[in-house]
Amino acid sequence: MTKNANSHFAYAYVRDVLTEQIRSAELAAGAQLPTERELCERFAITRPTLRQALAQLENEGLIFRQNRIGWFVCLRKLRYNPMRHISFLQYAAEQGFQPQTKVVSQEKLKPPQHIAEALQMDPRAHAVHLTRVRSVDERPVLVERLWFNPKTMPDMEQKDLSSSITGILKNDFHLKSLVFDVTVDTTCLLNPHAACLETNEGALGLKLVRVISDNKGQVFEYDEEYWRHDALQIENQATLAFT
Amino acid sequence: MTKNANSHFAYAYVRDVLTEQIRSAELAAGAQLPTERELCERFAITRPTLRQALAQLENEGLIFRQNRIGWFVCLRKLRYNPMRHISFLQYAAEQGFQPQTKVVSQEKLKPPQHIAEALQMDPRAHAVHLTRVRSVDERPVLVERLWFNPKTMPDMEQKDLSSSITGILKNDFHLKSLVFDVTVDTTCLLNPHAACLETNEGALGLKLVRVISDNKGQVFEYDEEYWRHDALQIENQATLAFT
DNA sequence: TCAGTTTATTGGTCTAGACCAAACTTAAGG
DNA sequence: CCTTAAGTTTGGTCTAGACCAATAAACTGA
């Protein structure tokens, strides 16, 4: 097969050609790519070589796969500021998406040790645990798992958790301010998160952990957010005032 | 080959075994993994299958490769808050790393159109462009490319850019406050960034874009940071006060 | 026309190599 | 002891299949 000068490997050439087709909108957002076998024929390469190229486009967040259906050009991303406090439903709607939330489970159980430690709770105690999936335009993009400290947030199993948790902290537990500690890592999505996000096991994802405390450092809530990496763009804004 | 119940594919089984060995410190941070051919023999699989498992561990940020030398368990990550303003040298040193910075190039040239637009400058004009590589413990982790708006930051080619750019904005251009707009995306590292980071082309990375303006919205600087994804953990903290 | 079954299509997983090239190790010579 | 060359080891790239399984499309019968 022929290649241009700056991508002498076959997979790199294919990756660059497809990238340019996506960037120039020759392949439109949401469009299905030709099948793997068609692309192999067109570029005169084998499927392992093609899939190396596709994997890199996938990691770049340019394409995504639907199991046994095909590869698609990614749609626009949800811009997400993990430090803001308006609800998912609100900022997704503001950006022209159609957001949805589905509770997967709510139960009271013993948390893993690292979560018990982060919550500063008795590791033998049970905590209320809420798992929910968020979608935009009927495409699941986020699995979140919330843990509530039984000491600082008692009786959570009796509250309506479909409303704002921040509201519960303010109104039911009378907090005057909250501190959010957030970390972001790349991760490999495993089941059940991968299945909830309708992606295959092993796909790249972003894991966001948020610990919510009061201003005395007492921990109330521990959240894990597993995101499809191709569905969001993290953003933030800060101001530096010179004194 | 044999596998346990929850990872019925060979590559998934290998991935999970190696993950557990890393998590339990049976494979210590920095340790070299057995060679690919040794692992193939041990697990009775072929190299493509093994490399599928290794690729997922790499995306997870658990292992990294050195070209033609071997696979290694990742060392601890630099915790990075993109919204803070202390220098890289300072927060890396605070975390017990040995930071280094190397200027790769400094030149004045016509920026790409999307950068000219972000800088709100005449697209035909030239801007000072600085490229530098940051390392910790002699391991390159970040390539940054800084563009300075010639309208708001004239004569930058005559300044000492090895010192604090923020200091230059404050002292030379008399700004009273700065606004930082930051976005974070996963990306596929290509050359020359991949080479600077001593990783192979196509490796997963994180791209962070920061636009620096004054409080009137006038843009001064446009920064692109290309990070080894396995070398950093993004963190942030915010406070929400209820009124 | 609809429901159920069958067939086809698509990506997913895997084997079994081959060969390349960067990096390291070893050996030889000055 | 140092430099250079040769050999070895390692990950990188690629071919050439095979077979699986999820999903869609097509077909058939009521």
Side-chain angles (χ1 to χ4, degrees), chain B residues 139-162:
Chain B
R139 182 165 185 253
V141 299
L142 161 64
V143 178
E144 32 174 28
R145 312 186 56 163
L146 321 182
W147 294 87
F148 306 108
N149 187 343
K151 207 162 61 175
T152 51
M153 299 180 77
D155 303 318
M156 283 296 285
E157 64 275 22
Q158 291 156 19
K159 296 185 191 296
D160 177 12
L161 301 187
S162 64

Side-chain angles (χ1 to χ4, degrees), chain A residues 35-37 47 51 65-71:
Chain A
T35 69
E36 288 187 7
R37 289 165 178 86
R47 280 186 70 220
R51 287 173 66 81
R65 63 179 99 182
Q66 276 188 270
N67 194 23
R68 322 291 174 169
I69 298 180
W71 290 91

Side-chain angles (χ1 to χ4, degrees), chain B residues 64-81:
Chain B
F64 67 96
R65 64 179 97 183
Q66 274 188 274
N67 195 23
R68 322 294 174 169
I69 299 181
W71 291 91
F72 296 81
V73 179
C74 283
L75 299 148
R76 67 194 178 91
K77 297 172 188 289
L78 178 68
R79 294 195 317 281
Y80 176 50
N81 181 348

Side-chain angles (χ1 to χ4, degrees), chain A residues 46-61:
Chain A
T46 58
R47 280 186 70 220
T49 303
L50 174 71
R51 287 173 66 81
Q52 167 93 352
L54 295 179
Q56 291 188 1
L57 292 170
E58 183 180 38
N59 274 2
E60 181 96 3

Side-chain angles (χ1 to χ4, degrees), chain B residues 173-230:
Chain B
F173 296 102
H174 308 298
L175 290 172
K176 292 185 172 17
S177 67
L178 302 177
V179 176
F180 297 77
D181 286 283
V182 171
T183 59
V184 182
D185 291 278
T186 59
T187 191
C188 182
L189 293 168
L190 303 182
N191 285 334
H193 304 139
C196 289
L197 294 173
E198 291 173 12
T199 190
N200 53 314
E201 228 207 5
L204 178 65
L206 285 173
K207 179 181 179 185
L208 197 143
V209 172
R210 182 184 290 106
V211 178
I212 301 175
S213 320
D214 66 10
N215 54 16
K216 297 187 189 72
Q218 191 159 43
V219 179
F220 285 73
E221 189 182 326
Y222 180 98
D223 302 344
E224 287 176 346
E225 296 182 0
Y226 295 88
W227 287 83
R228 292 188 64 117
H229 79 289
D230 57 18

